[in-house]
Amino acid sequence: FFFVGVGAIFRLPRRPAWRGAMLTKFETKSNRVKGLAFHSSRPWVLASLHNGVVQLWDFRMGTLIDRFDEHDGPVRGVCFHQSQPLFVTGGDDYKIKVWNYKLRRCLFSLLGHLDYIRTVQFHVEHPWIVSASDDQTIRIWNWQQRSCVSVLTGHNHYVMCAQFHVKDDLVLSASLDQTVRVWDIGGLRKKTLPETVTPEERSAMGPPMPDPAGSSPGGSLSSKLGKAIPNMKVEDLFGGNDATVKYVLEGHDRGVNWASFHSTLPLIVSGADDRQVKLWRMNETKAWEVDTLRGHINNVSCALFHPKQELIISNSEDKSIRVWDMSKRQGVQTFRREHDRFWILAVHQESNLLAAGHDGGMIVFKLERERPAFTPISGGVLFVKDRYVRSFDYGSGKDTALMSIRRSGNSGGPAVARSVHYNEQENMLLVCHDTDGGSYELYSVPRDGRSSDQSQECKRGAGSSAVFVARQRFAVLDKNRQILIKNFQNEVTKKCAPPHASTDCLFPVGTGMLLLRSEERISLFDVQQRKAVAELSTPAVKYVVWSPDNSHVALLSKHGVVIANKKLEQLCMVHETIRIKSGAWDGNEVFVYSTLNHIKYCLINGDSGIIRTLDVPVYISRVSGGTVHCLDREGKVRKMVVDVTECQFKLSLHKKEFERVIRIIKQSRLSGHAIIAYLQKKGFPQVALHFVSDEQTRFNLAVECGNVDIALQAAQALDSKENWHRLGAEALKHGNHQVVEMAYQRTKDMEKLSFLYLMTGNIDKLKKMLKIAEMRSDVMGRFHNALYLGDVPERVKLLVEAGHIPLAYITALTYGLTEQAEALSQQLTAAGLPLPEPLSPAPKMLYPALPISRDSNWPLLTVSKGTFERTLAGGGGGGATADSGLGDAGLDLDDMDGGGGWGDDDLDLDGTGGGGGGTGRMGRRRGRRLRMH
């Protein structure tokens, strides 16, 4: 059908020659987006909104980084600086604001425009900003000097956009006066930035010309105006001659909304309210219209060149984005929204990303997939690049073009291969495309690549996916969601109904088996039995990678990796916040995969980690040890050497290959809190001990794994009461009473120390503990020690001193101390107190039981040391050894000075005071020291 335009009749194709789905990478919902800008190196996009807010988004992570809200009214223009942490905005408040996103604030405002500001842009080299305004002028500003250096006048209606040329001294502007203008600003650069003038330009300029009006009585116009208006420059009134109009492009019938330079070619594209997109060409002397692209049915808001392909992208108030082929001058792709008009476009200069702003937010998208279609083969990889099938041999590094798969001219525009599958036994290749709802091509691949310059004949068919299912059979999922088994003559030999009507994709498994994707699950389908033999619930699977022995399979979705066995039983799942791109198995137990910015690994037990970061996304084809082969987005095979020590370490622990673990420990530099936490979580604190130097961490790990010797060393270095207390408790569990004794001494836990001596039968030390309690005026301590020793006279003496005469009397009477009992009975009689009756008619003396072992530590079960304890230095727990510094001689309490764990409150065995209040140290009065042996 046809549309009648202004002054022309043009045909709108019912369907473009090539129509693909927009690959949306990021989408926001917000107020109307009027301005967009990509950062040159970071995954950021700026969006300026109609409500005055400027949003800074990370489109890779899908997060809002910051928002800036200082403009009063809509913000229509925004631009990042090429190298500085700056961006500039222009709004309906007539202000241009320069911001620093690191400081998160506006640095300054540039004032001068008298109406709405439509666009702003930084120059890629010079300290300039160009702005377009509804006041019918273009202004160039020096942002370092914060001043306007030139005003470009000539348009007689709103100037809708203005931009610098990337390399030349040119400015392009578009206006509602129906013209596009190209301005030469070479004179401005030479005048305001003399340091940029080359020697050739300086010689061409010649000597400066004198001012002929300078000698006249009246003086020059500039001097006259300077006297009349002292603060006004002539350039501000009339524009000056340092920026001149080079070309005026006329051809649009309505106001022009946008115009853009091509980055490398002398081309200009413009879009206007006449619903047309025009392509212009220019040379040194003139500019002319090349062609008109018709198809939009409302005002064209923006039109840009694609930075890497011969494409023009335009959007419109007709709620569509259109992609045009520059060489054929025809539309090849159309994307539509139901309710939102498009207002602005932006292209990323370094990648295949575009952004479009509309009434309800913005989208960041790609025109086509950048993942090269590839499949691993024995000793190499086979992939499609520039319509050629190529093979790369890992051993020799040779890249060979096997054949061309250029499609015939009536098949439409370019179609990127979505996937390829190779049958090595029969040398057959399946290439799948997304065009026309899905199609496949079956090729016979030449073995020596001699036919690479000629297009190969192929068998074609429709189907959403196709994979090999046997040596001479392949399966196709047709548009009716039926599985067709075909031979290499493209003839149907069998039909199967999938187990789920929503099945939309096939993945290869092996002979006679298929993996079917349907909604949130994957099914293992037996072609012979025509039924699913296993199912697994999983997010929508994009890629399937089998291990070399087909014992495990990795199911890759947009944000997750599911590892399952060959029976489709899930073993583990790893979730990522950013997109997963590819993966390959290293052996049968380690899966290595790539995201947008990392190469990571996942073990079959669920352990995962990062191997390295990436500057650009890659697609992994093979992993072998520390070597990763991958393809980049240009279809080049790259080889990366990576450090997989952490991965191999975890795998060895999982497989309990402790000899290899020891070798990795000795040869590598694994460290950090993550590996320590991992070892603790997995129950290997004894291994974690060898990765830490922090004493507190070593102490905690040693206590956890029962290594008393290392815990003692760490406790001595730390010398804190809490650690000594924990060490004492742990050593007591192990029966290491020598370390327990030392810990109790350091914590001054007298009660526990006395009880320990009782349990170990150390009578001499109990006697000294009795004396210490007496000197510390510790009544209960004296009583307990006397009780432990069976020292009845001491208990009677203590009870008398404490005023408990009846208890002292009955104690003396019970234990047969006749003289003390008579003396105490006289005291009770004199005091008028009754004599207590004996508690038992046949009393017996109470003495502590004799322990079995007195000197050495308590016996432990004989346990053979593990691999780590035998091999690694410092390993092993259990009883104390000579290395612990304790031996059988015990500890010398008297040699502990104020810094040795007792603190300033030293034990004064011979002093008169208690609680550390004595006036002298042990040995000062008696001239000897009491030693515990």
Side-chain angles (χ1 to χ4, degrees):
F1 53 96
F2 295 85
F3 282 89
V4 179
V6 179
I9 298 178
F10 60 91
R11 181 178 183 273
L12 179 64
R14 183 177 298 274
R15 184 177 184 183
W18 174 51
R19 199 180 182 96
M22 177 188 292
L23 301 177
T24 303
K25 297 298 178 182
F26 174 63
E27 187 167 3
T28 67
K29 293 182 179 180
S30 66
N31 203 277
R32 181 185 301 168
V33 174
K34 300 296 290 184
L36 287 170
F38 281 108
H39 195 278
S40 59
S41 57
R42 300 187 182 187
W44 292 355
V45 62
L46 273 170
S48 59
L49 310 185
H50 197 264
N51 61 4
V53 174
V54 179
Q55 296 177 334
L56 176 59
W57 291 92
D58 185 320
F59 57 80
R60 180 177 290 178
M61 300 299 292
T63 55
L64 179 64
I65 300 173
D66 213 337
R67 65 193 304 272
F68 307 89
D69 186 6
E70 285 192 20
H71 278 284
D72 184 14
V75 183
R76 301 179 186 273
V78 65
C79 182
F80 272 114
H81 194 276
Q82 186 78 5
S83 57
Q84 299 294 322
L86 305 174
F87 67 90
V88 60
T89 58
D92 284 6
D93 54 3
Y94 312 167
K95 294 177 182 178
I96 297 171
K97 290 181 177 288
V98 177
W99 310 72
N100 186 310
Y101 56 73
K102 286 187 176 179
L103 301 179
R104 304 177 66 183
R105 63 182 180 87
C106 176
L107 301 180
F108 55 88
S109 298
L110 300 173
L111 304 177
H113 279 298
L114 306 176
D115 209 334
Y116 296 169
I117 297 169
R118 293 286 177 171
T119 64
V120 287
Q121 184 195 29
F122 278 111
H123 197 282
V124 293
E125 294 180 5
H126 307 322
W128 285 348
I129 294 170
V130 64
S131 58
S133 171
D134 284 1
D135 64 7
Q136 305 179 15
T137 67
I138 302 117
R139 286 179 178 257
I140 299 175
W141 312 77
N142 187 314
W143 60 265
Q144 291 178 342
Q145 299 174 358
R146 306 186 184 184
S147 62
C148 178
V149 295
S150 184
V151 181
L152 282 60
T153 59
H155 285 295
N156 54 31
H157 209 308
Y158 299 163
V159 183
M160 300 300 290
C161 81
Q163 65 172 241
F164 291 114
H165 194 277
V166 177
K167 292 178 286 188
D168 299 333
D169 293 327
L170 298 174
V171 167
L172 178 67
S173 63
S175 170
L176 293 188
D177 63 7
Q178 304 180 17
T179 66
V180 176
R181 294 181 179 238
V182 180
W183 308 78
D184 187 340
I185 56 171
L188 178 66
R189 176 180 61 82
K190 296 169 186 176
K191 174 182 175 182
T192 60
L193 302 172
E195 67 277 3
T196 65
V197 179
T198 63
E200 293 79 7
E201 290 174 334
R202 191 173 289 108
S203 60
M205 290 167 59
M209 297 294 292
D211 183 4
S215 57
S216 62
S220 66
L221 177 62
S222 176
S223 62
K224 292 178 181 179
L225 287 173
K227 294 176 183 177
I229 314 176
N231 296 325
M232 179 66 71
K233 296 181 180 179
V234 178
E235 290 81 358
D236 290 341
L237 291 176
F238 303 107
N241 59 0
D242 46 17
T244 58
V245 177
K246 192 171 184 179
Y247 312 119
V248 178
L249 309 179
E250 297 177 321
H252 283 288
D253 299 324
R254 304 284 294 274
V256 185
N257 292 313
W258 201 269
S260 299
F261 281 122
H262 194 282
S263 58
T264 56
L265 301 174
L267 298 175
I268 295 170
V269 64
S270 61
D273 286 347
D274 59 7
R275 307 173 183 179
Q276 298 176 2
V277 177
K278 287 185 179 291
L279 181 63
W280 312 80
R281 191 175 185 90
M282 61 182 180
N283 58 21
E284 291 298 324
T285 59
K286 63 178 180 177
W288 64 97
E289 180 180 338
V290 176
D291 208 344
T292 300
L293 308 176
R294 298 176 173 89
H296 284 293
I297 56 174
N298 207 333
N299 301 338
V300 179
S301 305
C302 191
L304 301 169
F305 290 104
H306 195 285
K308 294 189 175 183
Q309 302 180 41
E310 292 186 357
L311 298 174
I312 293 172
I313 302 97
S314 63
N315 64 5
S316 166
E317 294 179 44
D318 65 5
K319 307 169 189 174
S320 73
I321 299 174
R322 289 181 178 263
V323 182
W324 313 83
D325 188 310
M326 284 173 53
S327 57
K328 297 180 180 179
R329 285 59 168 290
Q330 66 179 12
V332 293
Q333 229 172 344
T334 303
F335 309 121
R336 298 185 186 277
R337 292 186 74 87
E338 290 186 16
H339 307 293
D340 300 314
R341 297 167 295 174
F342 284 102
W343 299 102
I344 187 68
L345 276 171
V347 293
H348 198 293
Q349 295 300 319
E350 303 298 329
S351 66
N352 190 30
L353 287 173
L354 298 97
H358 53 79
D359 284 332
M362 70 162 178
I363 50 175
V364 177
F365 63 98
K366 291 180 181 179
L367 297 180
E368 61 185 21
R369 65 176 64 246
E370 294 180 284
R371 174 191 173 102
F374 68 93
T375 182
I377 58 176
S378 57
V381 61
L382 188 144
F383 60 99
V384 177
K385 178 183 178 182
D386 298 332
R387 311 300 294 163
Y388 279 86
V389 176
R390 310 183 72 89
S391 69
F392 182 89
D393 184 82
Y394 296 135
S396 63
K398 185 179 179 181
D399 186 345
T400 306
L402 298 179
M403 66 180 190
S404 169
I405 56 171
R406 291 190 181 93
R407 302 179 70 182
S408 56
N410 59 2
S411 299
V416 179
R418 173 168 49 86
S419 63
V420 292
H421 303 278
Y422 184 54
N423 184 329
E424 293 196 49
Q425 290 84 5
E426 301 294 329
N427 268 22
M428 300 299 290
L429 181 73
L430 273 173
V431 182
C432 300
H433 301 276
D434 285 328
T435 55
D436 302 323
S439 62
Y440 68 89
E441 299 167 354
L442 179 66
Y443 293 90
S444 176
V445 180
R447 294 180 181 272
D448 52 6
R450 285 180 298 179
S451 303
S452 61
D453 294 333
Q454 298 178 358
S455 298
Q456 295 291 305
E457 292 297 325
C458 67
K459 305 287 194 303
R460 292 189 176 91
S464 59
S465 60
V467 298
F468 290 104
V469 73
R471 180 164 182 167
Q472 294 184 344
R473 296 289 185 272
F474 65 96
V476 178
L477 184 66
D478 68 5
K479 295 181 179 180
N480 298 321
R481 305 290 177 91
Q482 294 291 309
I483 299 173
L484 308 179
I485 307 301
K486 296 187 176 185
N487 58 24
F488 290 166
Q489 285 70 45
N490 209 20
E491 300 167 344
V492 177
T493 62
K494 182 186 291 187
K495 290 185 179 182
C496 304
H500 302 286
S502 58
T503 299
D504 59 0
C505 191
L506 306 180
F507 298 103
V509 177
T511 303
M513 305 293 284
L514 291 169
L515 281 178
L516 312 181
R517 182 185 71 190
S518 56
E519 296 176 342
E520 293 289 312
R521 64 186 154 216
I522 198 93
S523 304
L524 184 61
F525 186 78
D526 189 315
V527 176
Q528 190 69 26
Q529 301 181 38
R530 303 190 182 194
K531 69 175 184 177
V533 296
E535 277 192 358
L536 177 63
S537 295
T538 176
V541 175
K542 295 176 66 179
Y543 308 106
V544 169
V545 186
W546 286 91
S547 62
D549 64 355
N550 275 17
S551 61
H552 298 101
V553 61
L555 308 174
L556 278 63
S557 58
K558 190 175 183 179
H559 293 287
V561 177
V562 174
I563 305 294
N565 60 19
K566 61 183 178 181
K567 296 180 180 179
L568 226 56
E569 298 168 340
Q570 181 172 325
L571 302 179
C572 65
M573 180 176 181
V574 178
H575 181 76
E576 296 289 342
T577 56
I578 58 177
R579 294 172 186 261
I580 296 171
K581 310 304 289 184
S582 64
W585 287 90
D586 184 6
N588 297 305
E589 295 171 313
V590 181
F591 184 70
V592 178
Y593 62 97
S594 66
T595 66
L596 278 172
N597 48 16
H598 287 105
I599 293 180
K600 298 186 175 185
Y601 67 87
C602 175
L603 307 185
I604 58 175
N605 65 347
D607 295 336
S608 60
I610 297 174
I611 294 178
R612 63 163 290 173
T613 57
L614 295 171
D615 297 327
V616 294
V618 296
Y619 303 91
I620 299 173
S621 60
R622 188 183 80 153
V623 181
S624 178
T627 303
V628 175
H629 284 91
C630 55
L631 286 89
D632 59 19
R633 284 177 167 172
E634 282 70 42
K636 296 179 181 177
V637 179
R638 297 169 56 184
K639 176 181 176 181
M640 291 188 289
V641 178
V642 296
D643 185 1
V644 293
T645 306
E646 179 185 319
C647 170
Q648 295 300 324
F649 177 78
K650 292 181 178 180
L651 178 62
S652 300
L653 274 179
H654 168 66
K655 298 170 68 176
K656 299 190 179 341
E657 296 176 349
F658 296 129
E659 295 293 340
R660 189 180 183 191
V661 171
I662 293 168
R663 188 164 61 251
I664 293 173
I665 291 173
K666 291 183 175 180
Q667 295 177 355
S668 67
R669 296 182 178 179
L670 285 176
S671 61
H673 294 289
I675 194 72
I676 296 168
Y678 171 82
L679 289 167
Q680 284 183 283
K681 177 183 176 182
K682 294 296 180 180
F684 294 100
Q686 71 274 26
V687 185
L689 271 173
H690 303 279
F691 292 94
V692 293
S693 56
D694 178 68
E695 293 294 347
Q696 186 62 55
T697 307
R698 280 174 60 80
F699 178 81
N700 295 337
L701 290 172
V703 169
E704 183 177 344
C705 67
N707 196 326
V708 177
D709 292 343
I710 294 181
L712 175 60
Q713 296 170 12
Q716 288 173 331
L718 295 166
D719 199 20
S720 70
K721 188 173 182 179
E722 180 184 354
N723 288 335
W724 282 115
H725 178 76
R726 289 180 59 196
L727 177 61
E730 185 65 26
L732 190 61
K733 295 178 184 177
H734 290 259
N736 195 331
H737 66 76
Q738 294 174 354
V739 174
V740 176
E741 178 185 2
M742 184 178 186
Y744 289 169
Q745 288 176 2
R746 294 297 180 97
T747 57
K748 301 181 186 179
D749 200 332
M750 298 302 180
E751 291 185 8
K752 290 183 178 180
L753 195 57
S754 296
F755 192 74
L756 177 68
Y757 292 147
L758 169 67
M759 298 302 295
T760 57
N762 203 325
I763 305 302
D764 292 338
K765 291 184 180 180
L766 265 178
K767 291 177 180 179
K768 289 166 186 173
M769 290 301 296
L770 175 62
K771 188 164 293 189
I772 291 173
E774 182 180 357
M775 296 170 61
R776 293 172 64 88
S777 300
D778 184 359
V779 177
M780 288 305 298
R782 282 179 63 191
F783 186 82
H784 286 153
N785 283 297
L787 187 64
Y788 297 157
L789 286 166
D791 190 345
V792 179
E794 181 65 24
R795 285 157 56 193
V796 172
K797 177 183 175 183
L798 177 60
L799 291 171
V800 171
E801 291 177 0
H804 297 291
I805 305 299
L807 286 176
Y809 167 74
I810 199 169
T811 300
L813 184 64
T814 300
Y815 285 98
L817 301 180
T818 315
E819 295 179 1
Q820 288 92 330
E822 290 179 359
L824 291 171
S825 67
Q826 292 175 6
Q827 292 184 30
L828 288 172
T829 304
L833 296 173
L835 293 177
E837 294 294 330
L839 298 176
S840 174
K844 294 181 180 180
M845 294 287 285
L846 176 63
Y847 285 105
L850 293 177
I852 298 174
S853 175
R854 292 183 180 229
D855 298 328
S856 61
N857 288 324
W858 297 331
L860 299 175
L861 290 175
T862 303
V863 179
S864 59
K865 289 187 176 181
T867 306
F868 298 109
E869 286 77 6
R870 289 197 309 268
T871 310
L872 294 173
T881 63
D883 294 336
S884 66
L886 300 176
D888 295 330
L891 296 170
D892 187 358
L893 284 180
D894 303 327
D895 288 342
M896 299 252 181
D897 57 13
W902 295 99
D904 296 329
D905 188 15
D906 201 0
L907 293 183
D908 188 359
L909 292 180
D910 301 326
T912 57
T919 58
R921 290 186 180 274
M922 293 178 288
R924 289 183 181 177
R925 296 192 178 184
R926 299 186 184 180
R928 64 183 178 87
R929 292 183 181 269
L930 293 173
R931 295 180 63 86
M932 293 188 176
H933 291 292

